[in-house]
């Protein structure tokens, strides 16, 4: 849907919710772009989740300047199971309006029309809106790998949502009704899982009738990627843990995708090692690359990663190896946490 089409709708007030744990620098850098959105009526709720880096001081200064900013503070003395889900729940409880828009402290909207595109749809049946959040381009192969993985994840969950089978969303850019959160008892079913405040909630509550997507460039929300392999590995391990709690049909579909990819590369490598089938395997690999060369560039450009089209054969193999490694590692390493 185009922004100019959305702007013709009634602009209901909305609440933006951001959870911040030791995000002083990011709040100083990115929060103004959210507070300055071109939208008639909205509030921004920042949940300061037990920070010790000066986040409280930054938020105090912003509160003096912006009337539509509300700060909710979570302290170590509170009796709760520590984690982002509790912080998100506190932000939702503090929200004044029914339509909630979510992002993170290290995120920057692509334009001042972000909220215009993520506002409550005219369709009364719509309770969830899934947006898209690419990562900033930085130097290095890790950055390229992270952005390529983000591209594939987005193509998957957005295309399945278009097919009326939504199974996940990304908390850096999504929206849903406050009434839906409380009707479904929030995160009660998976409060013990450190991650999943976004994808598990969508997986449990999205259906073919109540979910829409927004991929207009003005509704993108850009984010800072992880800058080390270890931190990225920890992030993906959290996501992998949440995926185990998806609905059975979604787990089956996603597992089949991984299995087919594994079989493709496995048989290809085996065939290349056998002299009699080597050239056939190389021909299949070449054909596969040529077919994707017609498909990937358009999708990569649409999702703001156009320059990666030249590297997709290498990145595709690297991503597969990384995902297999991460899955194996997750079997042996159990403990994960949010920051």
């Amino acid at each position: 849907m185009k922004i100019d089409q959305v702007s013709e709708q009634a602009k209901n007030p909305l609440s933006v919710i951001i959870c911040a744990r030791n995000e002083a620098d990011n709040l100083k850098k990115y929060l103004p772009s959210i507070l300055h959105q071109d939208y008639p009526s909205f509030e921004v709720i920042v949940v300061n989740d037990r920070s010790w880096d000066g986040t409280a001081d930054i938020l105090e200064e912003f509160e003096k300047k912006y009337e539509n900013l509300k700060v909710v503070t979570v302290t170590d003395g509170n009796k709760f199971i520590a984690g982002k889900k509790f912080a998100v729940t506190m932000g939702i409880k503090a929200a004044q309006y029914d339509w909630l828009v979510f992002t993170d402290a290290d995120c920057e909207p692509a334009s001042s029309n972000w909220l215009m595109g993520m506002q409550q749809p005219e369709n009364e049946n719509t309770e969830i809106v899934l947006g898209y959040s690419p990562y900033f381009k930085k130097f290095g192969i890790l950055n390229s790998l992270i952005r390529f993985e983000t591209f594939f994840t987005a193509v998957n969950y957005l295309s399945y949502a278009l097919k009326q089978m939504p199974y996940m969303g990304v908390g850096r850019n999504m929206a849903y009704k406050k009434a839906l959160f409380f009707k479904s008892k929030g995160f009660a079913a998976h409060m013990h899982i450190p991650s999943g405040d976004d994808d598990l909630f969508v997986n449990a509550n999205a259906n073919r009738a109540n979910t829409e997507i927004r991929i207009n460039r003005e509704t993108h929300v850009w984010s800072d990627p992880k800058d080390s392999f270890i931190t990225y590995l920890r992030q993906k391990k959290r996501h992998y843990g949440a995926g185990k709690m998806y609905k059975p049909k979604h787990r089956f579909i996603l597992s089949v995708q991984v299995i087919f990819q594994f079989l493709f590369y496995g048989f290809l490598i085996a065939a290349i090692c056998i002299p009699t089938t080597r050239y056939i395997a190389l021909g299949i690999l070449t054909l596969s690359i040529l077919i994707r060369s017609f498909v990937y560039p358009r999708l990569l450009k649409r999702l703001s990663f156009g320059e990666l089209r030249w590297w997709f054969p290498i990145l595709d193999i690297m991503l597969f190896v990384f995902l297999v490694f991460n899955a194996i590692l997750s079997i042996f390493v159990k403990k994960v946490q949010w920051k």
Side-chain angles (χ1 to χ4, degrees):
M1 183 179 292
K2 295 181 179 179
I3 296 298
D4 57 357
Q5 293 175 327
V6 176
S7 63
E8 296 175 0
Q9 300 176 7
K11 302 177 185 66
N12 295 320
L14 51 81
S15 299
V16 180
I17 297 177
I18 302 170
C19 293
R21 181 165 167 80
N22 295 326
E23 297 280 8
D25 292 338
N26 285 326
L27 288 169
K28 189 184 300 184
K29 185 177 181 180
Y30 298 124
L31 188 55
S33 64
I34 295 173
L35 290 163
H36 289 154
Q37 283 291 299
D38 185 13
Y39 196 83
S41 180
F42 70 100
E43 63 176 354
V44 177
I45 299 171
V46 179
V47 183
N48 180 10
D49 184 17
R50 299 163 293 143
S51 301
W52 62 83
D53 68 337
T55 292
D57 295 331
I58 296 297
L59 291 175
E60 185 177 354
E61 289 299 316
F62 274 117
E63 274 190 301
K64 295 176 182 177
K65 188 176 180 181
Y66 298 97
E67 293 183 356
N68 62 333
L69 174 63
K70 181 188 298 183
V71 177
V72 176
T73 302
V74 176
T75 65
D76 280 318
N78 288 2
K79 296 180 180 179
F80 65 93
I81 300 174
K84 187 177 180 181
K85 289 175 184 174
F86 181 83
V88 173
T89 302
M90 294 296 289
I92 292 174
K93 288 183 176 180
Q96 181 179 354
Y97 306 117
D98 186 48
W99 192 250
L100 312 173
V101 182
F102 297 86
T103 190
D104 287 342
D106 61 350
C107 293
E108 180 180 29
S111 75
S112 60
N113 288 321
W114 169 54
L115 289 184
M116 195 70 74
M118 296 297 291
Q119 70 171 306
Q120 184 171 349
E122 286 185 321
N123 187 346
E124 294 183 357
N125 293 326
T126 301
E127 298 177 293
I128 300 173
V129 169
L130 306 178
Y132 171 60
S133 181
Y135 282 111
F136 289 118
K137 179 182 178 180
K138 295 185 178 181
F139 178 78
I141 190 65
L142 176 63
N143 179 260
S144 296
L145 178 63
I146 290 174
R147 291 186 297 132
F148 193 68
E149 186 269 335
T150 301
F151 159 74
F152 263 106
T153 301
V155 168
N156 228 35
Y157 78 78
L158 292 173
S159 61
Y160 272 105
L162 283 174
K163 294 176 184 177
Q164 299 185 330
M165 195 191 301
Y167 71 89
M168 69 160 285
V170 175
R172 300 190 301 275
N173 191 14
M174 61 183 288
Y176 55 76
K177 288 184 177 181
K178 183 177 182 180
L180 175 65
F181 180 83
F182 288 112
K183 181 177 68 175
S184 61
K185 298 182 180 180
F187 307 126
H190 47 83
M191 198 70 178
H192 60 290
I193 304 294
S195 60
D197 57 282
D198 46 8
D199 58 338
L200 286 181
F201 181 83
V202 172
N203 190 264
N205 296 284
N207 58 57
R208 60 188 304 169
N210 75 345
T211 305
E212 296 184 13
I213 71 169
R214 297 287 184 269
I215 56 174
N216 185 288
R217 283 182 177 271
E218 291 190 272
T219 66
H220 291 183
V221 171
W222 289 84
S223 181
D224 275 324
K226 301 299 181 183
D227 54 10
S228 75
F229 181 78
I230 297 299
T231 54
Y232 178 54
L233 192 63
R234 288 172 180 168
Q235 180 189 53
K236 299 315 297 179
K237 185 180 179 302
R238 290 197 302 269
H239 296 169
Y240 181 80
K244 295 178 180 179
M245 296 195 66
Y246 284 6
K247 292 177 181 177
K249 64 178 180 179
H250 297 143
R251 291 203 309 270
F252 174 77
I253 292 171
L254 296 174
S255 297
V256 167
Q257 288 180 345
V258 174
I259 290 171
F260 271 110
Q261 189 178 16
F262 179 81
L263 291 175
F264 174 78
Y265 282 116
F267 282 122
L268 204 63
I269 293 171
I272 290 175
C273 293
I274 301 173
T276 55
T277 57
R278 180 172 300 156
Y279 293 108
I280 296 176
L282 290 173
I284 293 174
L285 177 61
T286 302
L287 180 62
S288 171
I289 293 174
L290 287 175
I291 292 174
R292 286 180 290 172
S293 294
F294 287 101
V295 178
Y296 282 9
R298 180 179 295 182
L299 291 174
L300 284 163
K301 184 178 180 180
R302 182 78 181 271
L303 296 179
S304 301
F305 290 148
E307 79 284 354
L308 293 180
R309 66 187 182 276
W310 307 110
W311 301 99
F312 79 82
I314 298 174
L315 291 171
D316 191 47
I317 296 174
M318 289 181 59
L319 178 60
F320 173 70
V321 172
F322 173 79
L323 293 178
V324 171
F325 173 74
N326 183 56
I328 294 173
L329 185 65
S330 297
I331 297 174
F332 301 99
V333 182
K334 300 297 183 181
K335 186 178 180 181
V336 293
Q337 61 182 11
W338 180 52
K339 298 187 179 181

